[in-house]
Amino acid sequence: MTGIDDLPIRDELRGKTPYGAPQLQVPVRLNTNENPYPLPEPLVARIAERVAEAARHLNRYPDRDAVELRTALAGYLTRTAGHPVGLANVWAANGSNEVLQQLLQAFGGPGRTAIGFEPSYSMHALIARGTGTGWLSGPRREDFTIDVAAAVAAIAEHRPDVVFVCSPNNPTGTAVDAATVLALYDAAQAARADDHGALVVVDEAYGEFSHGPSLLPLIEGRPRLVVSRTMSKAFGAAGLRLGYLAAHAAVVDAVQLVRLPYHLSAVTQATALAALEYTDTLLGYVEQLKAERDRLVTELRAIGCEVTASDANFVQFGRFDDARTAWRRLLDRGVLVRDNGVPGWLRVTAGTPAENDAFLDAVRELMKEQSA
Ligand SMILES: *Cc1c(COP(=O)(O)O)cnc(C)c1O
């Protein structure tokens, strides 16, 4: 039978497996950092209204520059992220994964490299691979914070074209402070001072869940710093596929060189605009999830787990002699969490209070079993 390897596929894709968390039908699914709350009914009705209006014009291509949506996103960031941005600073695409892909298409590519500090979001490396960008795995400390001196040394040594900083970091939940980002930014520019500098991408997919402020204000006066965001988590709209970035206007000009024409459908733009009308309601759910996240941290510690401090809508917990077996045991009890391949650790998404209770009960039983 013909398989992938019989095809003239690119050498670097040979023998690889696609990204994919198991999509299993179990009672409690806490493995992909989704928001557990469905969109409120009035918003669902508003989406239907706006999509119906868009449908009247589906014979035409959508607004290629998504001006209304980008303006609304800029307004949202200006209001919530501590720094004024405008249309020219904001770009949107089908999920922040597409935003990151466009950034690597424009700033990475063959002969270039990107660095991330691992464990971190595995898609950074996969998107690098997909765009032919070399991947460098930078270090993290035992406690999953970024060791600034070691990171700066790695940047000086490898002179990457793109630096990824995930804050709050997936899968560990660890926030990165502004001083660290600035140190990495300066190191990245210094390492490529003979060229045009390096792009630093701060992935703030979980920014709204953080105890601290957004890193967005750091883009001021730093044209090579990009902050990426998504509506998949805080806005409870993973199915929508809408991500965006904020940066100097020149970065927005650059990604337009590689984006597909009309990449953002009129239906997507209409839906995202409707969701943004309900920002305050949706951010109310975020507050509930933050409280549940903090409860998970407290209760997991009370049960006797180690927990990594979290600024996201998930919690990394352990430590297990064999995380894979622990993952299985929880699944046997109807609770699906994530094994990100970090030795000894698992990750659980903050769900509804009932889901979190079910998860905590399952962990309690697991810990009893392990100490028996
Ligand atoms: C979930 C996640 C994303 C979001 O991806 P979308 O394509 O916007 O759904 C981006 N970065 C990180 C770190 C994530 O965990």
Side-chain angles (χ1 to χ4, degrees):
M1 228 176 66
T2 304
I4 290 179
D5 287 338
D6 301 308
L7 303 176
I9 192 166
R10 284 160 49 191
D11 290 337
E12 62 270 37
L13 300 181
R14 228 168 255 288
K16 294 297 197 301
T17 46
Y19 173 91
Q23 291 191 310
L24 303 176
Q25 295 305 324
V26 297
V28 182
R29 279 189 287 165
L30 300 172
N31 70 326
T32 52
N33 297 344
E34 290 156 331
N35 193 312
Y37 296 109
L39 298 180
E41 274 308 312
L43 169 53
V44 171
R46 183 65 181 135
I47 289 171
E49 220 170 74
R50 287 197 81 135
V51 168
E53 181 50 29
R56 296 193 176 97
H57 310 283
L58 282 182
N59 57 312
R60 302 290 180 189
Y61 282 111
D63 176 6
R64 196 174 43 211
D65 299 324
V67 169
E68 188 185 358
L69 175 57
R70 286 164 56 209
T71 303
L73 289 166
Y76 167 67
L77 287 176
T78 299
R79 200 154 68 73
T80 60
H83 185 69
V85 288
L87 168 67
N89 305 110
V90 172
W91 180 248
N94 296 283
S96 56
N97 279 309
E98 187 179 50
V99 170
L100 300 176
Q101 182 175 51
Q102 291 173 340
L103 286 170
L104 284 186
Q105 285 175 320
F107 296 98
R112 293 186 162 216
T113 58
I115 191 171
F117 302 95
E118 294 181 319
S120 190
Y121 186 45
S122 61
M123 280 308 300
H124 295 158
L126 289 182
I127 295 170
R129 189 173 80 197
T131 57
T133 311
W135 180 254
L136 301 161
S137 180
R140 245 172 222 273
R141 290 198 189 92
E142 272 290 291
D143 68 357
F144 302 109
T145 57
I146 293 178
D147 179 338
V148 177
V152 165
I155 288 171
E157 182 188 346
H158 299 292
R159 304 177 66 250
D161 299 275
V162 179
V163 178
F164 281 103
V165 182
C166 193
S167 180
N169 184 50
N170 183 5
T172 63
T174 320
V176 183
D177 60 18
T180 298
V181 175
L182 291 181
L184 301 187
Y185 184 87
D186 290 344
Q189 306 320 316
R192 301 203 66 92
D194 56 339
D195 201 350
H196 295 96
L199 196 76
V200 175
V201 180
V202 177
D203 184 338
E204 268 197 348
Y206 302 97
E208 286 92 340
F209 297 98
S210 190
H211 292 100
S214 169
L215 295 164
L216 181 74
L218 301 184
I219 67 171
E220 186 60 40
R222 293 184 189 84
R224 297 176 191 85
L225 189 72
V226 181
V227 174
S228 76
R229 288 284 193 106
T230 179
M231 294 180 79
S232 293
K233 315 291 170 36
F235 278 79
L240 165 63
R241 311 306 304 130
L242 199 289
Y244 53 103
L245 66 74
H248 192 281
V251 172
V252 175
D253 291 342
V255 291
Q256 301 205 29
L257 299 174
V258 297
R259 61 112 171 85
L260 295 173
Y262 316 111
H263 67 294
L264 211 50
S265 89
V267 172
T268 299
Q269 294 185 40
T271 307
L273 279 162
L276 282 161
E277 288 177 23
Y278 281 74
T279 297
D280 292 342
T281 307
L282 297 173
L283 290 183
Y285 295 153
V286 168
E287 287 309 310
Q288 291 180 39
L289 288 170
K290 287 168 73 171
E292 281 297 301
R293 180 259 331 266
D294 292 339
R295 180 170 79 93
L296 282 174
V297 171
T298 307
E299 299 214 9
L300 280 168
R301 285 188 177 140
I303 293 170
C305 290
E306 276 185 63
V307 181
T308 313
S310 175
D311 273 275
N313 68 337
F314 56 83
V315 175
Q316 181 176 255
F317 65 104
R319 288 207 276 191
F320 302 103
D321 294 335
D322 179 359
R324 195 68 202 167
T325 302
W327 178 85
R328 258 270 145 228
R329 294 273 177 278
L330 292 174
L331 186 58
D332 291 342
R333 294 182 168 86
V335 179
L336 179 60
V337 298
R338 186 70 169 268
D339 177 5
N340 291 90
V342 184
W345 298 88
L346 295 172
R347 188 194 73 191
V348 62
T349 306
T352 62
E355 288 171 331
N356 298 334
D357 286 341
F359 159 75
L360 288 165
D361 286 344
V363 176
R364 253 177 227 112
E365 288 174 28
L366 174 69
M367 296 298 277
K368 260 188 230 142
E369 205 178 88
Q370 293 213 329
S371 59

